[in-house]
Amino acid sequence: MSAPPRVLTVAGSDSGGGAGIQADLKTMLALGVHGMSVLTAVTAQNSLGVQGAWELPVEAVRAQYRSVVDDIGVQAVKTGMLASAELVETVADLLAGTDAPTVVDPVGVSKHGDPLLAASALDSVRTKLLPAATVVTPNLDEVAQLTGARVASEPDMRQAAAAVLEFGPRWVVIKGGHLAAAGSEEAVDLLTDGTEEHWLRAPRHDNRHTHGTGCTLASAIASYLARGHTVPEAVEAAKTYVTGALASGFALGAGIGPVDHGWAWRGEGAR
């Protein structure tokens, strides 16, 4: 029996299981690929926020990456929380020597607003990590953090995408889920390589339990790329998957619950 496509996530751990490495591996399992992981940081995290974060040594991150890639191989890589400039530059160097598409989720803060990337690492993200990306998936806050561009309307998303593309990724997905369009019933994302444009629209669900959305989307894109889809096909399929996960997000703890990575496995009323 042949092995399924292999996807590697390079990210931090979420002890509450809603985001980070845990969300990545759940997404990969749901989408039929073999998920592997390089842990960059450990967080004490729950539905209320991040109570603590500890990054791993560069040597440990490099050793995990080489151990997996040199023996098992990968068809796609996804990056998430990288914490420091040193880790960003280390991971960027590793990606540059890996012949596989890379999806970069430029994680800056948690769902609750807790910082997950040192301010001193932003320049390394711009100059080292983004040029290594096949697809980069910033939300509107991350766009502002990386480029200074503020997005207040759909037309602004085009200018934001151009600003991100100047740093060298092949494609960018500007995630418009936080766009406060008056009366909007859609969540709109823009995928572009500077030439092609794909506007991706999905129903906006009235559900506060959205923890792990960004990790899930990036991991889904990587999973579909590993399965041989083009970038536009992978992003469109990932948007469909994450929309279903958002619609099924559930309460957990006293704060914001996670999206449901197994939503497609369950029938009506299965939970």
Side-chain angles (χ1 to χ4, degrees):
M1 186 175 187
S2 60
R6 289 143 288 166
V7 182
L8 177 63
T9 170
V10 184
S13 170
D14 172 2
S15 57
I21 290 280
Q22 288 82 353
D24 297 339
L25 294 176
K26 291 173 187 177
T27 299
M28 292 168 191
L29 178 63
L31 296 180
V33 302
H34 176 68
M36 304 169 291
S37 60
V38 170
L39 197 63
T40 60
V42 175
T43 69
Q45 189 171 171
N46 56 26
S47 71
L48 298 173
V50 178
Q51 291 78 47
W54 301 266
E55 65 184 79
L56 268 67
V58 162
E59 295 78 9
V61 171
R62 186 182 292 111
Q64 291 175 81
Y65 191 99
R66 289 264 61 93
S67 177
V68 170
V69 173
D70 293 349
D71 173 48
I72 301 173
V74 295
Q75 276 75 56
V77 182
K78 176 262 179 182
T79 72
M81 177 185 177
L82 299 181
S84 68
E86 191 176 20
L87 282 178
V88 169
E89 292 174 12
T90 297
V91 171
D93 286 344
L94 291 166
L95 294 173
T98 303
D99 185 18
T102 299
V103 181
V104 170
D105 183 13
V107 175
V109 297
S110 75
K111 176 68 68 178
H112 304 85
D114 303 293
L116 298 176
L117 180 72
S120 58
L122 281 173
D123 192 55
S124 295
V125 172
R126 297 182 189 104
T127 62
K128 302 290 186 182
L129 188 62
L130 295 190
T134 307
V135 187
V136 60
T137 63
N139 62 30
L140 302 186
D141 290 336
E142 289 157 354
V143 166
Q145 194 177 37
L146 289 167
T147 71
R150 301 286 175 179
V151 177
S153 64
E154 283 189 29
D156 292 342
M157 295 171 73
R158 185 177 286 116
Q159 285 70 47
V164 175
L165 287 170
E166 287 185 5
F167 295 118
R170 286 178 50 203
W171 293 82
V172 60
V173 180
I174 303 296
K175 299 182 293 191
H178 295 161
L179 193 61
S184 173
E185 296 182 355
E186 293 182 317
V188 182
D189 301 331
L190 171 61
L191 167 70
T192 181
D193 64 353
T195 302
E196 292 183 40
E197 277 190 2
H198 302 267
W199 291 89
L200 306 172
R201 301 176 184 276
R204 184 182 294 276
H205 295 285
D206 184 18
N207 184 358
R208 67 187 293 262
H209 300 300
T210 59
H211 187 49
T213 308
C215 305
T216 299
L217 178 68
S219 294
I221 295 170
S223 297
Y224 284 113
L225 290 174
R227 289 171 54 178
H229 292 271
T230 66
V231 169
E233 290 169 347
V235 175
E236 183 175 2
K239 172 85 168 177
T240 298
Y241 172 73
V242 80
T243 299
L246 274 164
S248 301
F250 53 90
L252 200 67
I256 299 172
V259 301
D260 183 0
H261 298 94
W263 68 272
W265 296 342
R266 309 186 216 283
E268 286 296 320
R271 187 182 302 119

